[in-house]
Amino acid sequence: MKKLLFFAIFLNLMASFWASTPELKALMRQSQPFDRGASLSASVDALITSKKGKETMMQYNMYTARSQGKINVMIAFSTPSSFDGTRILTSVPEEGGVPSVAIKFKSFFTTMKIPFVSSDMSFFGMDFNTGDMNPRNSSYDQYTLLDTTVLSDGSTGYIVEAYPLEDKLYERIVHHVDIEKKIIVRSEMYNKKNELVKLMEVLECTAIQDIWSATKVRMQDLKAGSNTVLTYKSLVYHGDYTAYVNESFLKTGEP
């Protein structure tokens, strides 16, 4: 009995140690499903399903590029027709800070800069908020390793609890991290009442150019009863996409 008690205490101490180590923060930074550490190009289908089962399809092309310590993202909508021609250029500081956003709406002749975007705003009606999709700086959160687990594909996983210190979109998040693929495969979001309000799951994970990538991701809003599934197609890494990630493309839609 004493040995079992000592072992339990040892595990708790190890978990506390991991919570304060740079290694755990580095793992969480590397494991973000929407930022795999390389520039990319992809076409994305976003299927939104309401509580009553009504489905809405949105489609867009996505390009990313890194420069001067920032991750720059261009999203160009093609579907539905009311969004065709709408483009969004977002610049996210890698070391933290408020993203800058510029938008060109289909019906506008000029672009519009937005000085501040609230992280809890729905991204064009999806169940993903802006903060869910932006790269997350690991210094914004305090992490605790709760346990290890075996994931559905047999991989080893860490269960990590994140308490946001800045940009507090949720009260806490419990992540399931595939430590072999270094990617978050499940995130449970809780509010101040400790209610599970949203659930994100990686439904498909594929190795593309030796990078494990979330190619199908579902976000469920448990209170609204709706969900959004993002499917990434034609995903390519390591290209030079600066011709698509700039003010000129934002205005004209031409590289």
Side-chain angles (χ1 to χ4, degrees):
M1 181 64 71
K2 288 183 178 180
K3 288 183 177 180
L4 289 175
L5 180 60
F6 173 79
F7 187 64
I9 293 172
F10 175 75
L11 287 179
N12 286 332
L13 288 173
M14 286 301 295
S16 298
F17 170 75
W18 262 92
S20 62
T21 61
E23 288 82 3
L24 185 56
K25 282 187 175 290
L27 174 66
M28 297 308 295
R29 180 65 188 89
Q30 296 166 11
S31 300
Q32 295 185 53
F34 297 117
D35 177 25
R36 303 305 293 146
S39 60
L40 66 83
S41 168
S43 59
V44 183
D45 290 348
L47 180 62
I48 306 169
T49 305
S50 71
K51 184 177 182 178
K52 294 183 178 180
K54 179 183 177 181
E55 295 184 344
T56 303
M57 175 65 77
M58 304 175 71
Q59 295 176 311
Y60 57 87
N61 291 327
M62 177 179 179
Y63 308 92
T64 71
R66 282 171 152 77
S67 66
Q68 300 178 339
K70 295 181 179 180
I71 304 169
N72 303 306
V73 183
M74 175 67 72
I75 289 178
F77 283 95
S78 58
T79 303
S81 59
S82 57
F83 279 11
D84 185 17
T86 295
R87 292 177 290 276
I88 308 166
L89 177 60
T90 304
S91 181
V92 183
E94 291 189 87
E95 297 304 319
V98 178
S100 63
V101 180
I103 297 179
K104 165 67 171 67
F105 289 107
K106 176 182 180 178
S107 56
F108 283 36
F109 291 105
T110 61
T111 62
M112 179 174 63
K113 289 187 179 294
I114 301 176
F116 177 77
V117 176
S118 176
S119 296
D120 60 0
M121 288 178 60
S122 170
F123 186 75
F124 281 81
M126 300 182 192
D127 294 283
F128 291 88
N129 292 334
T130 302
D132 296 325
M133 301 178 70
N134 282 339
R136 180 85 179 169
N137 187 293
S138 60
S139 67
Y140 281 5
D141 303 317
Q142 176 180 302
Y143 298 106
T144 302
L145 177 62
L146 299 180
D147 205 351
T148 59
T149 187
V150 177
L151 303 173
S152 58
D153 64 353
S155 301
T156 301
Y158 281 164
I159 301 176
V160 178
E161 187 174 54
Y163 273 98
L165 304 174
E166 296 184 44
D167 194 16
K168 204 166 186 176
L169 182 55
Y170 307 102
E171 185 67 19
R172 68 186 182 97
I173 307 173
V174 177
H175 298 291
H176 294 236
V177 186
D178 187 321
I179 61 172
E180 296 168 23
K181 300 180 176 69
K182 287 186 172 60
I183 189 167
I184 295 169
V185 295
R186 177 185 172 96
S187 295
E188 303 160 3
M189 293 78 160
Y190 294 84
N191 63 14
K192 291 183 178 180
K193 298 179 181 179
N194 202 32
E195 298 170 328
L196 179 61
V197 291
K198 293 175 76 173
L199 174 63
M200 188 191 77
E201 297 172 288
V202 173
L203 304 180
E204 291 181 5
C205 191
T206 308
I208 299 173
Q209 296 169 256
D210 297 323
I211 298 175
W212 282 102
S213 309
T215 51
K216 182 174 285 189
V217 185
R218 177 176 62 204
M219 178 69 87
Q220 298 180 66
D221 187 324
L222 302 179
K223 288 205 166 186
S226 55
N227 73 87
T228 300
V229 176
L230 301 181
T231 302
Y232 288 75
K233 304 180 297 183
S234 305
L235 178 57
V236 180
Y237 290 107
H238 302 302
D240 181 1
Y241 304 115
T242 52
Y244 298 92
V245 188
N246 57 56
E247 291 280 350
S248 176
F249 184 87
L250 179 69
K251 293 176 182 178
T252 66
E254 298 291 335

